Amino acid sequence: MGKIMIAEDDVKIAQLEQDYLESNGYETKIVGDGAMVIAELKKGGYDLILLDIMLPNCSGYDICRSVREDIDIPILMVTARTEGIDVIRGLGLGADDYITKPFDPSQLVARVRSHLRRYQRLTGGGSGKNTVEHTDKIVAGNVIIEPKTWRVWKDGQEIKLPNREFELLCFMAQNPNIVFSKETLFEKIWGYDYVSDAATVSVHINRIREKIENDLRNPKIIETIWGAGYRFNL
């Protein structure tokens, strides 16, 4: 079913998450110290991480930032903070989704299952259809997108994109010169089973632009059409 890391220093919450996940067939490991999370993840074998923001010795934000540089697995942030700025910050650092405390354990399990299934589809581990079709290569200026190999290149240098960013980029690249609203992109890439909203799209578009555009102040590949949405120029 999958191995889940529970990065949580509240013993009761961690055990609750563990009990529900293991009763649904998942293997779990609890790590309560933020400083130990990254080292444990780099050992490999984890399919998803439930990441508390307020961890001792190393915050969930710092962990998310570091993990996204080397490890590409779904990150589901678990937090008591509900302010929009905290949510946007987490998503901006590469988190896939978030859930706030207190939460319904059955909803947590459903969210974990949804992310794992989507991740397996995106990486070719499942039979479901996704938005990334088997096109050999898409060229936009000095950027090359290879959907089959799940790779992106700029000026001959490979760029690392988390799955959600890659799927969003591929969807737009394979539907060029069409203006998509944030709501449409959110529906296509995230679906309806996420607690985030269309503002998540803007965060991910900005992250993609940081990696592929030559001038962030005047983006040419992914253009903002004010009042309408975004367009991939090809």
Side-chain angles (χ1 to χ4, degrees), residues 92-130:
L93 290 172
D96 294 280
D97 202 358
Y98 71 95
I99 188 167
T100 56
K101 304 173 187 175
F103 52 81
D104 180 346
S106 61
Q107 183 189 34
L108 177 68
V109 172
R111 196 77 58 77
V112 167
R113 183 179 297 116
S114 175
H115 277 281
L116 287 175
R117 286 176 176 171
R118 192 174 188 87
Y119 179 78
Q120 289 169 356
R121 289 198 299 269
L122 295 180
T123 55
S127 58
K129 185 178 178 185
N130 57 61

Side-chain angles (χ1 to χ4, degrees), residues 27-212:
E27 181 184 353
T28 67
K29 182 178 178 65
I30 297 173
V31 179
D33 188 330
M36 298 174 59
V37 171
I38 297 173
E40 179 64 29
L41 282 172
K42 288 184 176 180
K43 293 179 182 178
Y46 290 96
D47 299 293
L48 181 146
I49 176 173
L50 290 175
L51 180 61
D52 183 36
I53 288 180
M54 304 301 291
L55 286 170
N57 299 317
C58 187
S59 75
Y61 294 128
D62 291 333
I63 292 169
C64 189
R65 183 186 295 108
S66 180
V67 165
R68 273 294 173 247
E69 293 177 357
D70 303 307
I71 304 169
D72 191 13
I73 61 173
I75 298 174
L76 177 56
M77 281 193 157
V78 183
T79 176
R81 297 185 175 186
T82 57
E83 292 87 350
I85 189 64
D86 295 310
V87 171
I88 291 174
R89 183 182 179 190
L91 295 172
L93 290 172
D96 294 280
D97 202 358
Y98 71 95
I99 188 167
T100 56
K101 304 173 187 175
F103 52 81
D104 180 346
S106 61
Q107 183 189 34
L108 177 68
V109 172
R111 196 77 58 77
V112 167
R113 183 179 297 116
S114 175
H115 277 281
L116 287 175
R117 286 176 176 171
R118 192 174 188 87
Y119 179 78
Q120 289 169 356
R121 289 198 299 269
L122 295 180
T123 55
S127 58
K129 185 178 178 185
N130 57 61
T131 59
V132 181
E133 299 174 358
H134 293 294
T135 304
D136 287 335
K137 187 181 296 185
I138 301 169
V139 180
N142 58 345
V143 174
I144 298 174
I145 304 165
E146 299 179 353
K148 280 187 176 181
T149 61
W150 212 257
R151 304 174 86 176
V152 179
W153 307 82
K154 180 182 179 182
D155 295 326
Q157 298 293 317
E158 185 173 4
I159 301 169
K160 299 293 185 181
L161 272 71
N163 281 328
R164 195 74 64 194
E165 292 176 26
F166 188 87
E167 188 184 10
L168 177 58
L169 177 62
C170 270
F171 174 79
M172 296 189 70
Q174 292 180 327
N175 295 277
N177 307 316
I178 299 173
V179 178
F180 291 100
S181 69
K182 289 188 290 186
E183 290 75 17
T184 298
L185 290 172
F186 183 80
E187 176 187 340
K188 294 289 186 181
I189 307 304
W190 281 264
Y192 290 108
D193 55 344
Y194 290 88
V195 299
S196 310
D197 56 30
T200 302
V201 173
S202 298
V203 175
H204 283 72
I205 289 289
N206 287 338
R207 286 176 57 85
I208 294 170
R209 281 174 169 167
E210 289 174 357
K211 298 168 184 175
I212 69 171

